[in-house]
């Protein structure tokens, strides 16, 4: 069965019923009545102001039960804890309710009056929330003795954070860095192995052709020829071009010389 609040959200109730809803006169459970009133106060331009006035004087016991219940709609809890709607007697229940986010308590800590500060510092939940305690330090209504109490509460946490930072600084390098170093060492080993293999190949060749190398060792150097023709005469300076051309002519095959004649 569809709840009345769902019909209100979908704007399916007739105008007369919506007015009854804004006055809290619908025959529904107390928690649903509050949810309807909050929705109208926030989202309905016609009956919103009437719903706000109804909520301001709504039964305190019913409001307290809603403020303490973690199953209460987040929209209702946000409405109750907003500074412009906050009722002091609901504050302890709202602070204790785990469904109320710490970010909302931070807002109270920054802007709350002396009564709000007292309620926050009396809460075991707040005394374990460093973010809320740090926000309280900026509140102009904070008393000196309360500031000292906050320093004592936050000191162990701050010391633990410093110790954690020091441990992080001295920690070993990430696994990625170690892996990169391993890969670098592996590549170096492969390169060294390749160079060693090349040296072994050259050495084996030298041993195998030792006689030919020794026989050619006393022969004068001879150019292969064709350098000028291959690279072009513009590639070499004039003095070098003449020398290379002469050298090429001397080393040319006899058949080529006969053809030239």
């Amino acid at each position: 069965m569809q709840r009345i609040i769902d019909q209100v959200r979908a704007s399916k109730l007739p105008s007369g019923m919506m007015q009854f809803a804004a006055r809290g006169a619908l025959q529904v459970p107390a928690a649903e009545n509050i949810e309807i009133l909050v929705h109208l106060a926030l989202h309905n331009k016609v009956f919103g102001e009437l719903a706000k006035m109804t909520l301001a004087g709504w039964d305190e016991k019913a409001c307290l039960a809603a403020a303490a219940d973690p199953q209460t709609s987040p929209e209702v809890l946000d409405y109750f804890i907003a500074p412009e709607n906050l009722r002091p007697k609901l504050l302890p229940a709202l602070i204790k309710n785990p469904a109320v986010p710490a970010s909302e308590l931070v807002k109270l800590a920054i802007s709350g009056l002396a009564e709000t500060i007292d309620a926050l510092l009396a809460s075991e939940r707040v005394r374990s929330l460093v973010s809320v305690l740090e926000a309280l330090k900026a509140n102009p209504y904070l008393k000196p003795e309360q500031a000292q109490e906050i320093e004592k509460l936050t000191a162990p946490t701050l010391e633990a954070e410093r110790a954690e930072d020091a441990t992080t600084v001295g920690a070993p390098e990430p696994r990625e860095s170690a892996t990169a170093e391993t890969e670098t060492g592996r590549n170096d080993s492969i390169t060294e192995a390749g160079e060693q293999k090349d040296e072994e190949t050259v050495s084996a060749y030298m041993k195998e052709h030792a006689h030919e190398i020794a026989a050619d060792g006393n022969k004068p150097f001879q150019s292969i020829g064709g350098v000028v023709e291959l690279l072009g005469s513009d590639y070499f300076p004039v003095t070098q071009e003449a020398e290379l051309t002469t050298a090429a002519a001397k080393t040319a095959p006899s058949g080529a010389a006969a053809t030239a004649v």
Side-chain angles (χ1 to χ4, degrees):
M1 181 178 179
Q2 190 178 29
R3 296 189 307 162
I4 298 295
I5 178 61
D6 296 326
Q7 298 181 46
V8 171
R9 287 177 181 144
S11 300
K12 291 184 177 180
L13 291 182
S15 178
M17 289 285 288
M18 292 290 282
Q19 187 172 12
F20 275 122
R23 295 182 182 277
L26 295 178
Q27 298 299 312
V28 295
E32 187 174 354
N33 236 332
I34 293 174
E35 196 171 354
I36 291 170
L37 288 169
V38 169
H39 178 80
L40 292 175
L42 294 175
H43 305 292
N44 193 288
K45 295 180 180 180
V46 178
F47 301 106
E49 289 301 320
L50 178 58
K52 286 181 182 179
M53 292 176 60
T54 303
L55 276 169
W58 196 252
D59 178 65
E60 186 175 281
K61 185 177 180 180
C63 291
L64 189 60
D69 188 359
Q71 302 301 319
T72 298
S73 164
E75 189 172 57
V76 172
L77 294 177
D78 289 346
Y79 184 90
F80 278 160
I81 204 168
E84 63 272 19
N85 305 319
L86 184 61
R87 293 163 69 169
K89 290 188 178 180
L90 301 183
L91 186 55
L94 288 167
I95 294 173
K96 186 177 180 180
N97 191 337
V100 175
S103 57
E104 294 298 326
L105 301 182
V106 168
K107 295 177 184 177
L108 283 181
I110 294 173
S111 60
L113 300 178
E115 187 176 3
T116 300
I117 296 174
D118 292 339
L120 288 169
L121 287 177
S123 167
E124 288 299 322
R125 181 190 178 197
V126 169
R127 293 170 76 87
S128 64
L129 294 174
V130 177
S131 59
V132 181
L133 293 174
E134 290 292 332
L136 277 170
K137 293 180 181 180
N139 192 308
Y141 297 101
L142 189 69
K143 300 174 183 178
E145 59 271 21
Q146 291 174 328
Q148 293 177 2
E149 184 179 2
I150 291 173
E151 289 295 336
K152 292 179 181 178
L153 291 171
T154 56
T157 304
L158 294 175
E159 290 177 1
E161 289 177 354
R162 293 192 191 100
E164 184 177 354
D165 291 340
T167 304
T168 303
V169 171
E173 294 183 1
R175 183 178 179 82
E176 290 79 1
S177 299
T179 303
E181 291 180 359
T182 302
E183 290 296 330
T184 302
R186 186 180 301 169
N187 292 335
D188 291 343
S189 299
I190 293 172
T191 302
E192 291 175 0
E195 292 175 352
Q196 184 177 1
K197 185 176 181 180
D198 291 341
E199 291 178 0
E200 292 175 354
T201 302
V202 172
S203 178
Y205 179 85
M206 296 288 287
K207 290 180 180 180
E208 183 179 353
H209 298 82
H211 295 293
E212 291 90 337
I213 295 171
D216 292 340
N218 297 324
K219 292 181 180 180
F221 170 77
Q222 292 184 354
S223 172
I224 296 175
V227 177
V228 176
E229 289 80 356
L230 178 63
L231 298 179
S233 58
D234 294 337
Y235 182 85
F236 299 96
V238 176
T239 55
Q240 294 181 1
E241 179 183 347
E243 294 173 0
L244 291 171
T245 304
T246 303
K250 290 180 179 180
T251 57
S254 57
T259 302
V261 173

